[in-house]
Amino acid sequence: MKGYFLSVLSLLLLLPALSACGTYDYYDHVSDEKRDIFCAETEVYTLTVSCVRREYPFLCDGVAAQKSDLLEAVLAEKDPSAAEYEIYFLEDVQKGGDMSFRSVTGDWFYSRTAEKFPEGSLSVRIVRDGTAEEIALTSVKTENTLSPEEALKKATDSEKDYLAKMTRGGVFYGEFHVRLLRRDKTYYYVGIVNSKGDILSLLLDSETGEILARRERT
């Protein structure tokens, strides 16, 4: 019986090392994630709603804490005005409220907790100075877009040597930011953050996972 328990203990001690050999779950270390982006445009403004999973408080300290699911809306006027905006998500129970103007970025922002992330499309009501209109937003993702988990796997596979420097005793000491981006096309950003707050930034093709750009910042 003693020999049995010693054998079990030996296997348990080997688990971190086995994980480091290729089965390590780096997704457990994601602290900030943008899973989807929904977009719409009118003659007056553009509107984006992002599906975000983020730790709170959000710190670039190399440690991933418990995360919350959020819907974050950003409204940017084409011609700046003094208008006031509200947004309401058209679900079984409508949720929303006043949007806050951000002077630094010059846009309107609203954030709320998400019980479930939408898929494919999303409908909202925008109220501009008391006048309401319903807007349908469409996801930027296609059937070929990688999931955040797949994008992270592409990034970690390409940076094995870099990650090895952040691994001790089979345990990874760091955190990841994985964000879907929309510019001229769709990309993934993957940030690898160590305990000092140094960041290795990677830009990936959202469909192939090819690394398009790499930059280290200390």
Side-chain angles (χ1 to χ4, degrees):
M1 182 64 69
K2 181 178 179 181
Y4 170 77
F5 283 115
L6 287 175
S7 298
V8 172
L9 179 61
S10 298
L11 287 173
L12 290 174
L13 292 174
L14 278 173
L15 284 178
L18 291 173
S19 295
C21 291
T23 58
Y24 196 94
D25 189 3
Y26 287 109
Y27 187 72
D28 286 343
H29 298 272
V30 175
S31 63
D32 184 34
E33 176 183 356
K34 184 176 292 187
R35 298 191 64 87
D36 205 346
I37 303 171
F38 295 80
C39 300
E41 183 176 359
T42 72
E43 294 180 356
V44 178
Y45 55 79
T46 60
L47 178 66
T48 61
V49 174
S50 300
C51 299
V52 176
R53 184 167 289 158
R54 181 181 297 130
E55 68 177 4
Y56 182 83
F58 178 54
L59 300 171
C60 284
D61 57 1
V63 179
Q66 184 174 354
K67 298 183 287 292
S68 299
D69 289 349
L70 304 168
L71 290 175
E72 295 185 343
V74 176
L75 184 151
E77 291 184 312
K78 296 180 178 180
D79 294 311
S81 72
E84 298 288 333
Y85 286 93
E86 304 167 48
I87 184 171
Y88 298 92
F89 293 83
L90 304 182
E91 303 169 344
D92 293 338
V93 178
Q94 296 184 27
K95 296 183 180 180
D98 294 337
M99 303 187 79
S100 300
F101 182 72
R102 302 188 296 186
S103 57
V104 174
T105 51
D107 53 28
W108 296 83
F109 179 78
Y110 178 85
S111 177
R112 54 154 286 199
T113 301
E115 291 78 21
K116 181 181 179 180
F117 287 140
E119 296 181 5
S121 62
L122 171 67
S123 295
V124 302
R125 178 178 295 114
I126 297 295
V127 182
R128 183 177 189 265
D129 288 342
T131 301
E133 65 175 335
E134 294 188 3
I135 303 293
L137 299 91
T138 304
S139 171
V140 302
K141 296 173 66 175
T142 71
E143 60 182 11
N144 297 320
T145 304
L146 299 175
S147 68
E149 294 86 348
E150 291 170 331
L152 178 62
K153 180 67 164 55
K154 294 287 187 179
T156 54
D157 284 349
S158 72
E159 295 292 339
K160 290 181 179 179
D161 291 341
Y162 188 89
L163 297 176
K165 299 175 184 177
M166 301 171 62
T167 304
R168 298 188 299 275
V171 178
F172 176 73
Y173 291 89
E175 65 179 314
F176 297 94
H177 304 160
V178 183
R179 301 170 187 152
L180 188 65
L181 302 176
R182 181 67 179 179
R183 298 295 185 266
D184 58 319
K185 57 180 292 187
T186 306
Y187 303 92
Y188 268 105
Y189 165 83
V190 176
I192 305 174
V193 187
N194 65 21
S195 57
K196 298 178 182 178
D198 301 332
I199 303 177
L200 171 62
S201 297
L202 304 172
L203 185 68
L204 284 67
D205 183 287
S206 67
E207 296 186 355
T208 66
E210 177 187 356
I211 307 298
L212 303 176
R214 184 184 190 276
R215 183 178 69 179
E216 293 187 51
R217 187 183 72 192
T218 58

